[in-house]
Amino acid sequence: MNKLTTRAADYSQWYNELILKSGLADQSAVRGCMVIKPYGFALWENMRNVLDKMFKDTGHENAYFPLFIPKSFFSKEASHVQGFAKECAVVTHYRLKNSEDGKGIVVDPESKLEEELIVRPTSETIIWHTYKNWIQSYRDLPLLINQWANVVRWEMRTRAFLRTSEFLWQEGHTAHATKEEAIEEAEKMLHVYADFVENFMALPVIKGVKSPNERFAGAIETYCIEALMQDGKALQAGTSHFLGQNFAKAFDVQFLNKDNKKEFVWATSWGVSTRLIGALIMAHSDDEGLILPPKIAPVQIVIVPIYKSEEKKALIKEAANALVKKLQKENIRVKFDDRENERPGWKFAEYELKGVPLRITIGEKDLEKNQLEICRRDTKEKQFIALDTDVDFYTNRLQNIHDNLFAKAKAFQQQQITPANSLEEMQQILEQKGGFVSAHWDGTALTEEKIKELTKATIRCIPLNNPLEKGICVYSQQESSQRVLFARAY
RNA sequence: CGGGGCGUAGCGUAGUCCGGUCCAUCGCGCCUGCUUUGGGAGCAGGAGGUCGCAAGUUCGAAUCUUGCCGCCCCGACCA
């Protein structure tokens, strides 16, 4: 009855329905923004906690910088401002008043700000303004800071989780004494992201670097992880940038080295956002609802009781509560849904929609046999096991679901990387099959733009450790030294 | 910014072409009661509405006219 619109019919509609019905988020009153509901936020919190620990384990500390950035800060790094100028929310006034005709509220023209404030689209400028005061000596380096925050980008077209006007993210901003150390940092964080996305979200990614066209505004090199969605479109899941000395020079951040000489610091920045939730939804879910990877699922196991008589109800609750305690002791996030106003069938469908990895059913018949029914969300496979089954069974089963999700997504990703040796072949693959197209490229921005014009596909990345292979560019017929990955992207 | 679609109860909708029989249809949800409970329960009763906003045409507007606002999709755009 509540089955979702099929993916084949309309992928966008399927995706939007999934978000609304599963209780992750609501549409908000503000264009392109969204309300993240408790269930969606619990998911984000789990992701955030894992990432935060990874950052701390690699020597980073958290800090917080202001939401508002004076407009003048943006004029300091030319390519950076060019990249963001078209999508900024600007604060121009600070007061409202009742309108003259008494019919509402208007902005008080008297309250105009002398200098406008920009709602941060990213924090590079205000952070580097601050770093100037924090860094004097080589002893102050490296400076390894991360910030959890919200940012605003006034994109022309928005998409739930993937491109919202306001979104939550973390942004790391580091300063180093040498170029080598900064590059190492940028690469290290890329690997941290890949580790997280693959081992906690069960989503295989391709690590690589961006072509100059697709680079972050102000970066020398942009490293990225690219994921593939079920409709064959690619999604940038995270980026890490080597910024060179661009921001240090723009904000005059220098340090005295051991030889008592002034040098500009070397910088990196890196970030992932709530967009990852969108990636998760699009990569794993089916027409019954979400399928959440066990390691970050807000609820890993849900227990649904089934009973007719009051007397049996008490016995089932007793068994269920004992099981809850047993599982919680192993830090399994378990929920016993003993609501009496919803029927079992309703609960089954509900938790499938919400993507809970494992569902346990304990009924009167089961209790008599000292057993319970366990059903996994990914394969729908059901099985009866003894009530006193060891906790290891459950932890293994959760791990198994993770492995299965990853393997399935990995197989799809591999099957969706197709080599092409001509533009026609490339177009055909993009139209009929989708996914990544591995093709020779002459390395010029012009060619990349032309290919984008003709095929709507962009270079998603040049994979790390990409094998060199002599060939001919699919567009210009010029010599090429390697294949790169093209795809249509979100 | 261009093209398309939409705005009626918490959600989803019928009615709009061709004004009256609409103090507005149906489903989900909600409230009360009883029966139910192993895959989104059944019956009975009930609550809930500035028909996006404003002005106009008319004896009469959800329906026609004008203006405005908002949302969604596609495109352009997008670390």
Side-chain angles (χ1 to χ4, degrees), chain A residues 434-475:
Chain A
F436 292 108
V437 174
S438 175
H440 276 285
W441 166 56
D442 64 16
T444 68
L446 183 69
T447 295
E448 185 179 357
E449 271 159 33
K450 287 288 179 191
I451 292 176
K452 184 180 177 184
E453 241 171 69
L454 294 167
T455 67
K456 291 184 198 159
T458 49
I459 297 178
R460 299 321 302 160
C461 71
I462 303 158
L464 296 185
N465 307 318
N466 202 26
L468 293 181
E469 172 195 307
K470 282 204 171 166
I472 298 166
C473 173
V474 288
Y475 175 78

Side-chain angles (χ1 to χ4, degrees), chain A residues 1-5 17 21 287-288:
Chain A
M1 181 210 298
N2 250 331
K3 238 186 174 186
L4 297 157
T5 313
E17 265 186 67
K21 288 188 177 170
D287 287 341
E288 314 298 325

Side-chain angles (χ1 to χ4, degrees), chain A residues 173-389:
Chain A
H173 297 273
T174 69
H176 306 263
T178 66
K179 178 181 177 180
E180 293 68 32
E181 192 185 302
I183 291 175
E184 192 188 323
E185 165 79 4
E187 288 180 355
K188 182 200 288 173
M189 297 322 287
L190 183 79
H191 293 303
V192 166
Y193 287 153
D195 178 18
F196 172 73
V197 174
E198 297 200 327
N199 295 321
F200 289 86
M201 294 174 58
L203 187 55
V205 292
I206 295 171
K207 291 182 261 194
V209 295
K210 287 288 184 193
S211 64
N213 267 7
E214 299 279 323
R215 247 178 228 151
F216 176 68
I220 304 289
E221 186 84 273
T222 289
Y223 299 86
C224 64
I225 48 174
E226 290 288 324
L228 192 65
M229 304 297 102
Q230 290 183 67
D231 65 346
K233 284 170 94 172
L235 180 75
Q236 179 176 300
T239 49
S240 176
H241 315 286
F242 168 58
L243 301 172
Q245 295 175 308
N246 289 347
F247 283 89
K249 284 176 179 164
F251 289 87
D252 189 32
V253 182
Q254 300 188 66
F255 69 102
L256 278 172
N257 65 19
K258 285 181 183 172
D259 304 325
N260 203 28
K261 282 190 182 143
K262 275 202 166 185
E263 274 186 65
F264 287 107
V265 301
W266 298 83
T268 80
S269 72
W270 27 274
V272 294
S273 70
T274 37
R275 167 178 262 208
L276 285 178
I277 297 175
L280 198 71
I281 298 166
M282 284 200 157
H284 293 313
S285 305
D286 62 21
D287 287 341
E288 314 298 325
L290 297 175
I291 298 180
L292 297 183
K295 291 183 190 176
I296 52 169
V299 177
Q300 294 172 305
I301 302 180
V302 64
I303 303 172
V304 178
I306 302 174
Y307 47 79
K308 289 192 177 83
S309 68
E310 286 294 314
E311 168 200 1
K312 295 279 172 63
K313 180 171 97 181
L315 289 172
I316 288 170
K317 280 196 174 184
E318 198 181 311
N321 281 323
L323 182 57
V324 167
K325 271 191 193 152
K326 185 165 91 175
L327 295 172
Q328 278 175 340
K329 218 177 268 178
E330 292 300 308
N331 292 319
I332 293 173
R333 293 184 290 275
V334 57
K335 174 177 172 178
F336 174 38
D337 186 353
D338 61 349
R339 284 177 301 170
E340 306 204 358
N341 50 350
E342 303 294 2
R343 296 156 52 88
W346 191 92
K347 291 177 184 173
F348 295 166
E350 174 74 2
Y351 290 111
E352 272 160 23
L353 198 52
K354 286 181 174 301
V356 176
L358 279 175
R359 185 190 72 225
I360 288 170
T361 314
I362 306 179
E364 296 186 356
K365 294 178 222 161
D366 300 316
L367 215 53
E368 283 162 19
K369 298 182 197 164
N370 259 316
Q371 66 176 22
L372 55 79
E373 186 196 64
I374 186 159
C375 175
R376 50 191 289 176
R377 175 65 181 86
D378 58 339
T379 61
K380 308 269 174 64
E381 186 192 327
K382 288 177 187 171
Q383 168 183 10
F384 290 99
I385 60 170
L387 259 180
D388 60 359
T389 301

Side-chain angles (χ1 to χ4, degrees), chain A residues 4-73:
Chain A
L4 297 157
T5 313
T6 63
R7 273 164 290 173
D10 188 334
Y11 200 78
S12 293
Q13 201 183 332
W14 169 77
Y15 176 73
N16 286 337
E17 265 186 67
L18 204 49
I19 290 168
L20 293 176
K21 288 188 177 170
S22 63
L24 289 181
D26 273 348
Q27 215 168 70
S28 87
V30 182
R31 189 209 84 115
C33 293
M34 53 197 285
V35 175
I36 303 178
K37 296 173 79 174
Y39 189 65
F41 203 79
L43 176 63
W44 175 241
E45 279 177 319
N46 287 342
M47 293 163 70
R48 202 177 63 180
N49 289 341
V50 173
L51 279 166
D52 200 62
K53 182 169 187 313
M54 286 175 146
F55 298 154
K56 283 170 181 162
D57 287 348
T58 43
H60 302 86
E61 295 179 295
N62 285 332
Y64 188 78
F65 297 86
L67 169 68
F68 299 123
I69 302 175
K71 189 180 75 178
S72 56
F73 282 27

